[in-house]
Amino acid sequence: MTTEISKKLQMLVAQEMGPMGAFIVKKQCTNLGMDHEELKVGDLPALSKALFDAFCIFTGEEKGKWLRDQIKKLGVEEEL
């Protein structure tokens, strides 16, 4: 079953990057030993760093920073 954090992350990335974003999330999760469907709030700091590095290649640093910040906010919202 997909966690809420995973769903929110996938929606955010799909809105901004389309299908390529989903592939990037899946790949970075695999690289970090995470299940992209079972993400927890505690996974977001390491994942946001890895995703930032990958996003910058495709979108540039400014958009990469924005996406990284939005991912971090997902964790804050989930904890509230």
Side-chain angles (χ1 to χ4, degrees):
M1 188 166 143
T2 306
T3 63
E4 280 302 308
I5 279 288
S6 295
K7 289 176 189 175
K8 289 178 181 179
L9 175 62
Q10 291 170 17
M11 284 178 29
L12 169 68
V13 174
Q15 287 174 342
E16 296 300 321
M17 298 188 68
M20 169 87 56
F23 172 78
I24 292 170
V25 169
K26 209 174 195 182
K27 176 70 172 138
Q28 294 307 313
C29 285
T30 299
N31 290 351
L32 293 169
M34 297 175 185
D35 181 340
H36 72 282
E37 292 185 349
E38 297 296 326
L39 294 173
K40 300 171 187 74
V41 173
D43 296 329
L44 293 180
L47 183 57
S48 67
K49 166 71 172 105
L51 289 173
F52 168 73
D53 293 341
F55 290 153
C56 283
I57 293 169
F58 296 99
T59 67
E61 189 172 340
E62 185 175 326
K63 180 81 168 208
K65 284 180 181 178
W66 183 85
L67 282 164
R68 180 192 60 202
D69 293 344
Q70 295 305 305
I71 292 166
K72 287 179 180 179
K73 285 181 185 178
L74 290 177
V76 171
E77 290 170 359
E78 191 71 19
E79 288 180 339
L80 295 178

Coordinates of all heavy atoms in Angstrom, one line a residue:
M1 N 0.8 -1.2 0.0 CA 0.0 0.0 0.0 C 0.9 1.2 0.0 O 1.9 1.3 0.7 CB -0.9 0.0 1.2 CG -1.9 1.1 1.2 SD -3.1 0.7 2.5 CE -3.4 2.3 3.1
T2 N 0.5 2.2 -0.8 CA 1.3 3.4 -1.0 C 1.0 4.4 0.2 O -0.1 4.7 0.5 CB 1.0 4.1 -2.3 OG1 1.2 3.2 -3.4 CG2 1.9 5.3 -2.6
T3 N 2.1 4.9 0.8 CA 1.9 5.9 1.9 C 1.5 7.2 1.4 O 1.7 7.5 0.2 CB 3.2 6.1 2.7 OG1 4.2 6.6 1.8 CG2 3.8 4.7 3.3
E4 N 0.9 8.0 2.3 CA 0.5 9.4 1.9 C 1.6 10.2 1.4 O 1.5 11.0 0.5 CB -0.2 10.1 3.1 CG -1.7 9.7 3.2 CD -2.5 9.9 2.0 OE1 -2.5 11.0 1.5 OE2 -3.2 8.9 1.6
I5 N 2.8 10.1 2.1 CA 4.0 10.9 1.7 C 4.3 10.5 0.3 O 4.7 11.4 -0.6 CB 5.1 10.7 2.7 CG1 5.0 11.5 3.9 CG2 6.5 10.9 2.1 CD1 5.2 13.0 3.7
S6 N 4.3 9.2 0.0 CA 4.7 8.8 -1.4 C 3.7 9.3 -2.4 O 4.1 9.8 -3.5 CB 4.7 7.2 -1.4 OG 5.7 6.7 -0.6
K7 N 2.4 9.3 -2.1 CA 1.4 9.8 -3.0 C 1.6 11.3 -3.3 O 1.6 11.8 -4.4 CB 0.0 9.6 -2.5 CG -0.4 8.2 -2.5 CD -1.8 8.0 -1.9 CE -2.2 6.6 -1.6 NZ -3.5 6.5 -0.9
K8 N 1.8 12.1 -2.2 CA 2.0 13.5 -2.3 C 3.3 13.8 -3.1 O 3.3 14.7 -4.0 CB 2.1 14.2 -1.0 CG 0.7 14.2 -0.3 CD 0.9 14.8 1.1 CE -0.5 14.8 1.8 NZ -0.4 15.4 3.2
L9 N 4.4 13.1 -2.9 CA 5.6 13.3 -3.6 C 5.4 13.0 -5.1 O 5.9 13.8 -5.9 CB 6.7 12.5 -3.0 CG 8.1 12.5 -3.7 CD1 8.7 13.9 -3.7 CD2 9.0 11.5 -3.1
Q10 N 4.8 11.9 -5.4 CA 4.6 11.5 -6.8 C 3.7 12.6 -7.5 O 4.0 12.9 -8.7 CB 4.0 10.1 -6.8 CG 5.0 9.1 -6.4 CD 4.4 7.7 -6.2 OE1 3.3 7.4 -6.7 NE2 5.1 6.8 -5.6
M11 N 2.7 13.1 -6.8 CA 1.9 14.1 -7.4 C 2.6 15.4 -7.7 O 2.5 16.0 -8.8 CB 0.6 14.4 -6.6 CG -0.4 13.3 -6.6 SD -1.9 13.6 -5.6 CE -2.1 15.3 -5.4
L12 N 3.4 15.8 -6.7 CA 4.2 17.1 -6.9 C 5.2 16.9 -8.0 O 5.2 17.8 -8.9 CB 5.0 17.3 -5.6 CG 6.1 18.4 -5.6 CD1 5.4 19.8 -5.8 CD2 6.9 18.4 -4.4
V13 N 5.9 15.9 -8.1 CA 6.9 15.7 -9.1 C 6.3 15.5 -10.5 O 6.8 16.1 -11.5 CB 7.9 14.5 -8.7 CG1 8.8 14.2 -9.9 CG2 8.6 14.8 -7.5
A14 N 5.2 14.8 -10.5 CA 4.5 14.6 -11.8 C 4.0 15.9 -12.4 O 4.0 16.2 -13.6 CB 3.3 13.6 -11.7
Q15 N 3.5 16.8 -11.5 CA 3.0 18.1 -11.9 C 4.1 19.0 -12.5 O 3.9 19.7 -13.5 CB 2.4 18.9 -10.7 CG 1.0 18.4 -10.3 CD 0.5 19.1 -9.1 OE1 1.3 19.7 -8.3 NE2 -0.7 18.9 -8.8
E16 N 5.3 18.9 -11.9 CA 6.4 19.7 -12.3 C 7.2 19.1 -13.5 O 7.8 19.9 -14.2 CB 7.3 20.0 -11.1 CG 6.6 20.8 -10.1 CD 6.1 22.2 -10.6 OE1 6.8 22.8 -11.3 OE2 5.0 22.6 -10.1
M17 N 7.3 17.8 -13.5 CA 8.2 17.2 -14.5 C 7.6 16.1 -15.4 O 8.3 15.5 -16.2 CB 9.4 16.6 -13.7 CG 10.2 17.6 -12.9 SD 11.7 16.9 -12.3 CE 12.7 16.6 -13.7
G18 N 6.4 15.8 -15.1 CA 5.7 14.7 -15.9 C 6.3 13.4 -15.6 O 6.9 13.1 -14.6
P19 N 6.2 12.4 -16.6 CA 6.6 11.1 -16.4 C 8.1 10.9 -16.0 O 8.5 10.0 -15.3 CB 6.4 10.4 -17.7 CG 5.4 11.2 -18.4 CD 5.6 12.6 -17.9
M20 N 8.9 11.8 -16.5 CA 10.4 11.8 -16.2 C 10.6 12.0 -14.7 O 11.4 11.3 -14.1 CB 11.1 12.9 -16.9 CG 12.5 13.2 -16.4 SD 13.8 12.2 -17.2 CE 13.6 12.6 -18.9
G21 N 9.8 12.8 -14.0 CA 9.9 13.0 -12.6 C 9.6 11.7 -11.8 O 10.4 11.4 -10.8
A22 N 8.6 10.9 -12.2 CA 8.4 9.7 -11.5 C 9.5 8.7 -11.7 O 9.9 8.0 -10.7 CB 7.1 9.0 -12.1
F23 N 10.2 8.7 -12.8 CA 11.3 7.8 -13.0 C 12.5 8.3 -12.1 O 13.1 7.4 -11.5 CB 11.8 7.8 -14.5 CG 13.1 7.2 -14.7 CD1 13.2 5.8 -14.7 CD2 14.3 7.9 -14.8 CE1 14.4 5.1 -14.9 CE2 15.5 7.3 -15.0 CZ 15.6 5.9 -15.0
I24 N 12.7 9.6 -12.0 CA 13.8 10.1 -11.2 C 13.5 9.7 -9.7 O 14.5 9.3 -9.0 CB 13.9 11.6 -11.4 CG1 14.4 11.9 -12.8 CG2 14.9 12.2 -10.3 CD1 14.4 13.4 -13.1
V25 N 12.3 9.9 -9.2 CA 12.0 9.5 -7.8 C 12.3 8.1 -7.6 O 12.9 7.7 -6.6 CB 10.5 9.9 -7.5 CG1 10.1 9.3 -6.1 CG2 10.3 11.4 -7.5
K26 N 11.8 7.2 -8.5 CA 12.0 5.8 -8.3 C 13.5 5.4 -8.3 O 13.9 4.6 -7.5 CB 11.3 5.1 -9.5 CG 10.8 3.7 -9.3 CD 10.0 3.3 -10.5 CE 9.2 2.1 -10.2 NZ 8.5 1.6 -11.3
K27 N 14.2 6.0 -9.2 CA 15.7 5.7 -9.3 C 16.4 6.2 -8.1 O 17.3 5.4 -7.5 CB 16.3 6.4 -10.6 CG 17.7 6.3 -10.7 CD 18.1 4.9 -11.1 CE 19.6 4.8 -11.4 NZ 20.3 3.7 -10.9
Q28 N 16.1 7.4 -7.6 CA 16.8 7.9 -6.4 C 16.5 7.1 -5.2 O 17.3 6.8 -4.3 CB 16.6 9.4 -6.2 CG 17.1 10.2 -7.3 CD 18.6 10.0 -7.6 OE1 19.4 10.0 -6.6 NE2 18.9 9.8 -8.8
C29 N 15.2 6.7 -5.1 CA 14.8 5.8 -4.0 C 15.6 4.5 -4.0 O 16.1 4.0 -3.0 CB 13.3 5.6 -4.0 SG 12.3 7.0 -3.5
T30 N 15.7 3.9 -5.2 CA 16.4 2.6 -5.3 C 17.9 2.8 -4.9 O 18.4 2.0 -4.2 CB 16.3 2.1 -6.8 OG1 14.9 1.9 -7.1 CG2 17.1 0.9 -7.0
N31 N 18.5 3.9 -5.4 CA 19.9 4.2 -5.0 C 20.1 4.3 -3.5 O 21.1 4.0 -3.0 CB 20.3 5.5 -5.7 CG 20.5 5.3 -7.2 OD1 20.4 4.2 -7.7 ND2 20.7 6.4 -7.9
L32 N 19.0 4.9 -2.8 CA 19.1 5.1 -1.4 C 18.6 3.9 -0.6 O 18.6 3.9 0.7 CB 18.4 6.3 -1.0 CG 18.9 7.6 -1.5 CD1 17.9 8.8 -1.2 CD2 20.3 7.9 -0.8
G33 N 18.2 2.8 -1.3 CA 17.6 1.6 -0.6 C 16.2 1.9 0.0 O 15.9 1.2 1.0
M34 N 15.5 2.8 -0.6 CA 14.1 3.1 -0.1 C 13.1 2.5 -1.1 O 13.4 2.4 -2.3 CB 13.9 4.6 -0.1 CG 14.8 5.3 0.9 SD 14.6 7.1 0.8 CE 15.8 7.7 1.9
D35 N 11.9 2.2 -0.6 CA 10.8 1.8 -1.5 C 10.0 3.0 -1.8 O 9.5 3.7 -0.9 CB 9.9 0.8 -0.7 CG 8.8 0.3 -1.5 OD1 8.4 0.9 -2.5 OD2 8.2 -0.8 -1.2
H36 N 9.9 3.4 -3.1 CA 9.3 4.6 -3.5 C 7.8 4.7 -3.1 O 7.2 5.7 -3.1 CB 9.5 4.9 -5.0 CG 8.7 4.0 -5.9 ND1 9.1 2.7 -6.2 CD2 7.6 4.2 -6.6 CE1 8.2 2.2 -7.0 NE2 7.3 3.1 -7.2
E37 N 7.2 3.5 -2.8 CA 5.8 3.5 -2.4 C 5.6 3.5 -0.9 O 4.5 3.6 -0.5 CB 5.1 2.3 -3.1 CG 5.0 2.4 -4.6 CD 4.2 1.3 -5.2 OE1 3.9 0.3 -4.5 OE2 3.9 1.4 -6.4
E38 N 6.7 3.3 -0.2 CA 6.6 3.2 1.3 C 7.4 4.2 2.0 O 8.0 4.0 3.0 CB 7.0 1.8 1.7 CG 6.1 0.7 1.2 CD 4.7 0.7 1.7 OE1 4.5 1.1 2.8 OE2 3.8 0.4 0.9
L39 N 7.4 5.4 1.4 CA 8.2 6.5 2.0 C 7.6 7.0 3.3 O 6.4 7.0 3.5 CB 8.4 7.7 1.1 CG 9.1 7.4 -0.2 CD1 9.0 8.5 -1.2 CD2 10.6 7.0 0.1
K40 N 8.5 7.4 4.2 CA 8.1 8.0 5.5 C 8.7 9.4 5.6 O 9.6 9.7 4.9 CB 8.7 7.1 6.7 CG 8.2 5.7 6.6 CD 8.9 4.8 7.7 CE 8.6 3.4 7.5 NZ 9.2 2.7 6.4
V41 N 8.2 10.2 6.5 CA 8.7 11.5 6.7 C 10.2 11.5 6.9 O 10.9 12.4 6.4 CB 7.9 12.2 7.9 CG1 8.6 13.6 8.2 CG2 6.5 12.4 7.6
G42 N 10.7 10.6 7.7 CA 12.1 10.5 8.0 C 13.0 10.2 6.8 O 14.2 10.5 6.8
D43 N 12.4 9.8 5.7 CA 13.1 9.5 4.5 C 13.4 10.8 3.7 O 14.3 10.9 2.8 CB 12.4 8.5 3.6 CG 12.2 7.1 4.2 OD1 13.1 6.7 4.9 OD2 11.2 6.5 3.8
L44 N 12.5 11.8 3.9 CA 12.6 13.0 3.0 C 13.9 13.8 3.1 O 14.3 14.3 2.0 CB 11.4 13.9 3.3 CG 10.0 13.3 3.0 CD1 8.9 14.3 3.3 CD2 9.9 12.9 1.5
P45 N 14.5 14.0 4.2 CA 15.8 14.8 4.1 C 16.8 14.2 3.2 O 17.3 14.9 2.3 CB 16.3 14.8 5.6 CG 15.0 14.6 6.4 CD 14.2 13.7 5.6
A46 N 17.1 12.9 3.3 CA 18.1 12.3 2.4 C 17.6 12.2 1.0 O 18.3 12.5 0.0 CB 18.4 10.9 2.9
L47 N 16.3 11.9 0.8 CA 15.7 11.8 -0.5 C 15.7 13.2 -1.2 O 16.0 13.3 -2.4 CB 14.3 11.2 -0.4 CG 13.6 11.0 -1.8 CD1 14.5 10.1 -2.7 CD2 12.2 10.4 -1.6
S48 N 15.3 14.2 -0.5 CA 15.3 15.6 -1.1 C 16.6 16.0 -1.6 O 16.8 16.6 -2.6 CB 14.7 16.6 -0.1 OG 15.5 16.9 1.0
K49 N 17.7 15.6 -0.9 CA 19.1 16.0 -1.3 C 19.4 15.2 -2.6 O 19.9 15.8 -3.6 CB 20.1 15.6 -0.2 CG 21.5 15.6 -0.6 CD 22.1 16.9 -0.9 CE 23.6 16.9 -1.1 NZ 24.0 17.0 -2.5
A50 N 19.1 13.9 -2.6 CA 19.4 13.1 -3.8 C 18.5 13.6 -5.0 O 19.0 13.7 -6.2 CB 19.1 11.7 -3.6
L51 N 17.3 13.9 -4.8 CA 16.4 14.4 -5.8 C 16.8 15.8 -6.3 O 16.8 16.1 -7.5 CB 14.9 14.5 -5.4 CG 14.3 13.1 -5.2 CD1 12.9 13.3 -4.5 CD2 14.2 12.3 -6.5
F52 N 17.3 16.6 -5.4 CA 17.8 18.0 -5.8 C 18.9 17.8 -6.8 O 18.9 18.4 -7.9 CB 18.3 18.8 -4.6 CG 19.1 20.0 -5.0 CD1 18.4 21.1 -5.5 CD2 20.4 20.0 -4.8 CE1 19.2 22.2 -5.9 CE2 21.2 21.2 -5.1 CZ 20.5 22.3 -5.7
D53 N 19.9 16.9 -6.5 CA 21.0 16.7 -7.4 C 20.5 16.2 -8.8 O 21.0 16.7 -9.8 CB 22.0 15.7 -6.8 CG 22.7 16.2 -5.5 OD1 22.7 17.5 -5.3 OD2 23.2 15.4 -4.8
A54 N 19.6 15.3 -8.8 CA 19.1 14.8 -10.1 C 18.3 15.8 -10.8 O 18.4 16.0 -12.0 CB 18.3 13.5 -9.8
F55 N 17.4 16.5 -10.1 CA 16.5 17.5 -10.7 C 17.3 18.6 -11.4 O 17.0 19.1 -12.5 CB 15.5 18.1 -9.8 CG 14.5 17.2 -9.3 CD1 13.9 17.4 -8.0 CD2 14.0 16.2 -10.0 CE1 12.9 16.6 -7.6 CE2 13.0 15.3 -9.6 CZ 12.4 15.5 -8.4
C56 N 18.4 19.0 -10.8 CA 19.2 20.1 -11.3 C 19.8 19.8 -12.7 O 19.9 20.7 -13.5 CB 20.4 20.5 -10.4 SG 19.9 21.4 -8.9
I57 N 20.0 18.5 -12.9 CA 20.5 18.1 -14.2 C 19.5 18.4 -15.3 O 19.8 18.8 -16.4 CB 20.9 16.6 -14.2 CG1 22.1 16.4 -13.3 CG2 21.2 16.1 -15.6 CD1 22.4 14.9 -13.0
F58 N 18.2 18.2 -15.0 CA 17.1 18.3 -16.0 C 16.5 19.6 -16.0 O 15.9 20.1 -17.0 CB 16.1 17.2 -15.7 CG 16.6 15.8 -15.9 CD1 17.0 15.0 -14.8 CD2 16.8 15.3 -17.2 CE1 17.5 13.8 -15.0 CE2 17.3 14.0 -17.4 CZ 17.6 13.3 -16.3
T59 N 16.4 20.3 -14.8 CA 15.6 21.5 -14.7 C 16.4 22.8 -14.4 O 15.9 23.9 -14.4 CB 14.5 21.4 -13.6 OG1 15.2 21.3 -12.3 CG2 13.7 20.2 -13.8
G60 N 17.7 22.6 -14.0 CA 18.5 23.8 -13.6 C 18.4 23.9 -12.1 O 17.5 23.4 -11.4
E61 N 19.3 24.7 -11.5 CA 19.4 24.8 -10.1 C 18.2 25.5 -9.4 O 17.8 25.1 -8.4 CB 20.7 25.6 -9.7 CG 21.0 25.5 -8.2 CD 22.4 26.1 -7.9 OE1 23.3 26.2 -8.8 OE2 22.6 26.5 -6.7
E62 N 17.7 26.5 -10.0 CA 16.6 27.3 -9.4 C 15.4 26.4 -9.3 O 14.8 26.3 -8.2 CB 16.3 28.5 -10.3 CG 15.2 29.4 -9.7 CD 14.9 30.6 -10.5 OE1 15.9 31.2 -11.1 OE2 13.8 31.1 -10.5
K63 N 15.0 25.7 -10.3 CA 13.8 24.8 -10.2 C 14.1 23.6 -9.3 O 13.3 23.2 -8.5 CB 13.5 24.3 -11.6 CG 12.3 23.3 -11.7 CD 11.0 24.1 -11.7 CE 9.9 23.2 -12.0 NZ 8.8 23.8 -12.6
G64 N 15.4 23.1 -9.3 CA 15.8 22.1 -8.4 C 15.6 22.5 -6.9 O 15.2 21.7 -6.1
K65 N 16.0 23.7 -6.6 CA 15.9 24.2 -5.3 C 14.4 24.3 -4.9 O 14.0 24.0 -3.8 CB 16.6 25.6 -5.1 CG 18.1 25.5 -5.1 CD 18.7 26.9 -4.9 CE 20.2 26.9 -4.9 NZ 20.8 28.2 -4.8
W66 N 13.6 24.8 -5.8 CA 12.2 24.9 -5.5 C 11.6 23.6 -5.2 O 10.8 23.4 -4.2 CB 11.5 25.6 -6.7 CG 10.0 25.8 -6.4 CD1 9.5 26.9 -5.8 CD2 8.9 25.0 -6.7 NE1 8.1 26.8 -5.7 CE2 7.8 25.6 -6.3 CE3 8.8 23.8 -7.4 CZ2 6.5 25.0 -6.4 CZ3 7.6 23.2 -7.6 CH2 6.4 23.8 -7.1
L67 N 11.9 22.6 -6.1 CA 11.4 21.2 -5.8 C 11.8 20.7 -4.5 O 11.1 20.1 -3.8 CB 11.7 20.3 -7.0 CG 10.9 20.5 -8.3 CD1 11.6 19.8 -9.5 CD2 9.5 19.9 -8.1
R68 N 13.1 20.9 -4.2 CA 13.7 20.4 -2.9 C 12.9 21.0 -1.8 O 12.5 20.3 -0.8 CB 15.2 20.7 -2.9 CG 15.8 20.3 -1.6 CD 17.2 20.8 -1.4 NE 17.1 22.3 -1.3 CZ 18.1 23.1 -1.6 NH1 19.3 22.7 -1.9 NH2 17.9 24.4 -1.5
D69 N 12.7 22.3 -1.8 CA 11.9 22.9 -0.7 C 10.5 22.4 -0.6 O 10.0 22.3 0.5 CB 12.0 24.5 -1.0 CG 13.4 25.0 -0.8 OD1 14.3 24.4 -0.3 OD2 13.6 26.2 -1.3
Q70 N 9.9 22.2 -1.8 CA 8.5 21.7 -1.7 C 8.5 20.3 -1.1 O 7.5 19.9 -0.4 CB 7.9 21.6 -3.1 CG 7.7 23.0 -3.8 CD 6.9 23.9 -2.9 OE1 5.8 23.6 -2.5 NE2 7.4 25.1 -2.6
I71 N 9.5 19.5 -1.4 CA 9.5 18.1 -0.8 C 9.7 18.2 0.7 O 9.1 17.4 1.4 CB 10.7 17.3 -1.5 CG1 10.3 17.0 -3.0 CG2 10.9 16.0 -0.8 CD1 11.4 16.5 -3.8
K72 N 10.6 19.1 1.1 CA 10.8 19.3 2.6 C 9.5 19.7 3.2 O 9.2 19.3 4.4 CB 11.9 20.3 2.8 CG 13.3 19.7 2.5 CD 14.3 20.8 2.8 CE 15.7 20.3 2.5 NZ 16.7 21.3 2.7
K73 N 8.7 20.5 2.6 CA 7.4 21.0 3.1 C 6.5 19.8 3.3 O 5.6 19.8 4.2 CB 6.8 22.1 2.3 CG 7.5 23.4 2.4 CD 6.8 24.4 1.5 CE 7.5 25.7 1.5 NZ 6.9 26.7 0.6
L74 N 6.5 18.9 2.4 CA 5.6 17.7 2.5 C 5.8 17.0 3.9 O 4.9 16.6 4.5 CB 5.9 16.7 1.4 CG 5.6 17.0 0.0 CD1 6.0 15.9 -0.9 CD2 4.1 17.2 -0.1
G75 N 7.1 16.9 4.3 CA 7.4 16.3 5.6 C 6.8 17.1 6.8 O 6.3 16.6 7.7
V76 N 6.9 18.4 6.7 CA 6.5 19.3 7.7 C 4.9 19.2 7.8 O 4.4 19.1 8.9 CB 6.9 20.8 7.5 CG1 6.2 21.7 8.4 CG2 8.4 20.9 7.6
E77 N 4.3 19.3 6.7 CA 2.8 19.2 6.6 C 2.3 17.9 7.2 O 1.3 17.8 7.9 CB 2.3 19.3 5.2 CG 2.5 20.7 4.6 CD 2.2 20.8 3.1 OE1 1.9 19.8 2.5 OE2 2.4 21.9 2.6
E78 N 3.0 16.8 6.9 CA 2.6 15.5 7.3 C 2.7 15.3 8.9 O 1.9 14.7 9.5 CB 3.5 14.4 6.7 CG 3.0 13.0 6.8 CD 1.7 12.7 6.1 OE1 1.4 13.4 5.1 OE2 1.0 11.7 6.4
E79 N 3.7 16.0 9.4 CA 3.9 15.9 10.9 C 2.9 16.7 11.7 O 2.7 16.5 12.8 CB 5.4 16.4 11.2 CG 6.4 15.3 10.8 CD 7.8 15.8 11.1 OE1 8.1 17.0 11.3 OE2 8.7 14.9 11.2
L80 N 2.3 17.7 11.0 CA 1.3 18.6 11.7 C 0.1 17.9 12.1 O -0.4 17.0 11.7 CB 1.0 19.8 10.9 CG 2.2 20.8 10.7 CD1 1.8 21.9 9.8 CD2 2.7 21.3 12.0

